[in-house]
Amino acid sequence: QVQLVESGGGLVQAGGSLRLSCAASGRTFSTWTMGWFRQAPGKEREFVAGITWSGGRTGYADSVKGRFTISRDNAKNTVYLQMNSLKFEDTAVYYCAARAIGAVVAGERSYPYWGQGTQVTVSS
C-alpha cells in the first residue's frame, strides 16, 4: 500500500514563497519517480514538476521553470516543492504523485499513486 500525504499549502501574497511537502509510506520510496501536479478551478490537472528516484533528473512545466524547485530526501521518504515568486495563476490544489522507477513524465496516467492534495492560494 502506498500513501502520499501533502502539506504546506496556504494563502500567500503574490511574490511570496511556499514549500510543499509530500510524505510517503512504503519501503521502496527511494525507487519511485515522484511528481507534483496542480489543478486550478475549472481547469484540468496539469504537470508541475517531477524528480527521479536518485534526484539526478528533474523536469518542470514551462510555467514554473526558474521559480519552482523539486527535491527529495529518501531518508525521510519525503519530496518537496519549493515555490518562489508565486503568481496569482499558481493558485490551485497541488497533488503529489508516484510511479515505479522510470523517467520523469508529464502524463498523469503514468502515476498510479496520488495524495489528497493541498490548497495553494496566491492573492494578487
Side-chain angles (χ1 to χ4, degrees), residues 1-4 32 96-100 111-115:
Q1 189 78 12
V2 175
Q3 287 189 324
L4 304 173
W32 302 342
C96 175
R99 64 190 298 255
Y111 296 81
Y113 305 108
W114 292 82

Side-chain angles (χ1 to χ4, degrees), residues 1 14 17 20 24 44-45 56 58 74 103 105 124:
Q1 189 78 12
S17 298
L20 305 183
E44 293 187 352
R45 190 156 54 185
T58 58
N74 288 340
V105 295
S124 58

Side-chain angles (χ1 to χ4, degrees), residues 18-75:
L18 281 175
R19 188 176 81 156
L20 305 183
S21 298
C22 173
S25 65
R27 292 177 293 176
T28 59
F29 172 79
S30 61
T31 67
W32 302 342
T33 292
M34 303 296 296
W36 284 98
F37 290 75
R38 67 185 182 186
Q39 186 168 22
K43 295 187 177 181
E44 293 187 352
R45 190 156 54 185
E46 64 177 359
F47 173 79
V48 175
I51 187 167
T52 54
W53 69 274
S54 67
R57 291 186 181 272
T58 58
Y60 296 92
D62 288 342
S63 59
V64 306
K65 278 182 182 177
R67 299 189 298 122
F68 291 11
T69 303
I70 189 171
S71 62
R72 66 190 296 161
D73 185 338
N74 288 340

